[in-house]
Amino acid sequence: MTKHSTLRDRALAFRSLHVPGAPLVLPNAWDAVTARLVEDAGAAAVATTSAGLVWALGAADGDRLERGAALAAVARVTAAVGVPVSADIEGGYAADPAGVADTVRAVLAVGAVGVNIEDARYDDGGAPLRPVAEQAERLAAAREAADAEGVPLFVNARIDTFLRGAGGVDLTLERAAAYRAAGADGIFVPGAVDPGTVKELAAGVDGPLNVMAGPGAPPVAELAALGVARVSVGSGIAQAAHALVRRAARELLEEGTYASLTGGLDYGELNTLAARGR
């Protein structure tokens, strides 16, 4: 089997996991070891968190990382696991649609079979979201680049209306329709967890709906019943892990005690997992 056919098969397998009512559940990872931990826990696929990934590289989230550094980190994740990997590529690490296409080709080259592309803007003083037509062009470029490579990359269009306080259900559905028409496979609406809102979105989106869950959000079973096809947790696990680091460091420095370290993974188990080949 060629590398190309393997990538295509993995992409088809990943695509098939998006089922409304029986959602794909993704505990987001940010490096090789966290990806192996997620796979070892039984995940059918691994998705990166852009925030967790850039924090591990000593950078800030929000389209500030250089494409090469981001894709090198994704490459380490895909090399570490045997399940399909979806890469959160923020806005596409590019200023224009042609650049987004270059990023997608690089994503495929490192072995990922899905991408999240968001419509948020981070330039100072600008509107919180890209204009719909502009974002649709970027998504179309991603779709065309993947199709030209013969890989059915799952393009997950992230709509930041709720996350950035830029609109509600109606505006979100307008953007979703435009993004689907441009070639997006799924729609990701972080910040929308109210059951009534999620139900409206699931009914109104023509395609798989992804929501971002966390403390205070309905459990996966309830989200499934509302018609969700994909549940992820974004940077939530990374934030929890970093909270433990700070808590343990402060306890050690201020109290001279070690209670925060209780429940840590066994050294041998973690070392073996880190050394394991695919």
Side-chain angles (χ1 to χ4, degrees):
M1 183 178 290
T2 66
K3 179 179 179 181
H4 180 274
S5 63
T6 300
L7 192 65
R8 185 176 186 279
D9 291 344
R10 193 174 298 137
L12 289 170
F14 182 64
R15 181 177 293 271
S16 72
L17 296 172
H18 295 76
V19 180
L24 169 63
V25 180
L26 296 168
N28 300 77
W30 59 92
D31 61 12
V33 172
T34 55
R36 283 182 175 168
L37 286 166
V38 167
E39 181 184 40
D40 193 60
V46 169
T48 64
T49 158
S50 66
L53 185 149
V54 301
W55 293 337
L57 296 175
D61 196 26
D63 266 338
R64 294 177 175 89
L65 193 63
E66 184 269 329
R67 178 199 289 154
L71 272 294
V74 173
R76 289 190 287 274
V77 170
T78 61
V81 298
V83 295
V85 173
S86 181
D88 183 344
I89 58 171
E90 304 190 55
Y93 299 123
D96 55 28
V100 174
D102 289 340
T103 298
V104 164
R105 284 187 282 268
V107 165
L108 295 174
V110 300
V113 294
V115 290
N116 283 1
I117 303 177
E118 64 192 61
D119 61 5
R121 291 173 53 175
Y122 296 96
D123 48 324
D124 293 337
L129 305 180
R130 294 184 187 275
V132 175
E134 178 184 329
Q135 183 66 4
E137 289 179 3
R138 295 168 72 86
L139 292 166
R143 174 82 282 140
E144 290 165 11
D147 289 350
E149 296 294 320
V151 179
L153 178 79
F154 192 96
V155 178
N156 205 30
R158 179 173 134 177
I159 302 177
D160 278 355
T161 41
F162 284 85
L163 204 60
R164 302 293 294 272
V169 171
D170 289 345
L171 183 59
T172 302
L173 292 178
E174 288 177 15
R175 284 183 172 257
Y179 297 168
R180 284 281 288 149
D185 298 290
I187 298 297
F188 179 25
V189 189
V193 293
D194 170 75
T197 299
V198 172
K199 186 175 182 178
E200 280 190 78
L201 291 171
V205 168
D206 177 23
L209 175 68
N210 178 188
V211 299
M212 185 170 72
V220 170
E222 184 175 343
L223 292 172
L226 294 171
V228 171
R230 175 166 163 175
V231 179
S232 52
V233 293
S235 60
I237 296 175
Q239 289 173 255
H242 292 313
L244 173 59
V245 173
R246 183 166 69 179
R247 186 163 63 249
R250 286 180 173 174
E251 182 192 357
L252 179 61
L253 294 169
E254 296 171 7
E255 308 295 333
T257 54
Y258 329 103
S260 297
L261 303 181
T262 302
L265 285 173
D266 176 75
Y267 172 88
E269 179 186 3
L270 187 55
N271 206 42
T272 299
L273 189 69
R276 187 180 69 198
R278 283 180 54 179

